[in-house]
């Protein structure tokens, strides 16, 4: 069994990396649809010609995925934030799943900002657990909402050399 990948025709204005269809070893077909360089839709046709399942992608004005809609109309959504002084919102601010459960991300200041806090927000808008992240020279400390810590130490190449529970 093998997987067959067919690409869109670059002579028809598509990028040479744009996939048209993927057929797996069992003959199941996945069709990809683009708008410009953005993937807009994936259709699963099984081994026939009728669409069994479809996933649609909507992008914000800056080209980042904003909404993913599934066959049953359930959605996953994303919002983005921008660093002060920049015109592009390129940092994910929230990710919300199909049940309304949300993860919220907070960043350090500066153009090379890093995630400093991840907050759970329940379906009713109630704050859940969180984790803070503190970065220092060759060390990152993760602290959860109960005060538990994990400390990772890195070598000069960024490889983890130790991981301790912070006690």
């Amino acid at each position: 069994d093998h997987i067959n990948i067919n690409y869109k025709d670059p002579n028809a204005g598509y990028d040479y990396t744009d996939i048209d269809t993927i057929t797996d070893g069992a003959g199941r077909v996945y069709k990809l649809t683009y708008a410009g360089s953005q993937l807009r839709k994936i259709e699963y046709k099984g081994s026939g010609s009728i669409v069994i399942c479809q996933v649609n992608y909507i992008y914000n004005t800056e080209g980042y995925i904003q909404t993913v809609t599934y066959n049953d109309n359930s959605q996953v959504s994303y919002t983005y934030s921008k660093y002060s002084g920049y015109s592009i919102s390129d940092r994910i601010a929230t990710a919300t799943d199909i049940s309304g459960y949300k993860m919220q991300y907070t960043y350090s200041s500066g153009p090379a900002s890093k995630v400093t806090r991840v907050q759970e927000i329940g379906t009713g808008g109630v704050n859940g657990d969180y984790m803070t992240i503190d970065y220092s020279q060759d060390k990152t400390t993760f602290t959860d909402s109960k005060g538990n810590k994990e400390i990772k130490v890195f070598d000069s190449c960024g490889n983890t050399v130790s991981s301790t529970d912070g006690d």
Side-chain angles (χ1 to χ4, degrees):
D1 292 332
H2 64 281
I3 295 175
N4 186 23
I5 300 174
N6 294 313
Y7 292 89
K8 299 272 189 184
D9 182 0
N11 295 321
Y14 292 99
D15 187 14
Y16 69 94
T17 61
D18 289 347
I19 296 172
D20 185 30
T21 59
I22 300 170
T23 306
D24 67 17
R28 294 177 293 236
V29 178
Y30 301 84
K31 171 113 176 96
L32 286 72
T33 303
Y34 300 84
S37 64
Q38 295 176 339
L39 176 63
R40 293 298 181 136
K41 178 171 46 175
I42 300 175
E43 296 174 324
Y44 168 60
K45 296 184 178 185
S47 57
S49 61
I50 297 172
V51 175
I52 297 170
C53 184
Q54 179 174 303
V55 178
N56 294 293
Y57 302 89
I58 297 174
Y59 298 80
N60 65 15
T61 56
E62 281 127 3
Y64 297 102
I65 291 179
Q66 179 176 315
T67 307
V68 180
T69 305
Y70 298 95
N71 210 45
D72 62 357
N73 286 323
S74 61
Q75 294 184 332
V76 175
S77 62
Y78 304 91
T79 63
Y80 300 85
S81 63
K82 61 177 87 172
Y83 171 66
S84 179
Y86 286 81
S87 61
I88 297 176
S89 299
D90 63 352
R91 303 180 313 178
I92 191 162
T94 62
T96 306
D97 73 9
I98 60 175
S99 69
Y101 174 82
K102 185 182 293 188
M103 296 298 286
Q104 183 176 34
Y105 302 89
T106 304
Y107 296 83
S108 61
S109 60
S113 59
K114 298 177 181 178
V115 174
T116 58
R117 182 181 172 100
V118 180
Q119 173 76 54
E120 294 178 313
I121 302 172
T123 56
V126 177
N127 286 347
D129 288 334
Y130 65 86
M131 177 178 60
T132 61
I133 307 166
D134 179 51
Y135 305 91
S136 57
Q137 185 68 33
D138 299 329
K139 180 174 79 171
T140 302
T141 304
F142 301 87
T143 307
D144 69 18
S145 56
K146 295 173 182 61
N148 300 310
K149 291 186 179 189
E150 182 176 352
I151 300 168
K152 294 194 178 277
V153 178
F154 306 94
D155 64 18
S156 60
C157 294
N159 300 308
T160 304
V161 294
S162 71
S163 182
T164 60
D165 65 7
D167 291 335

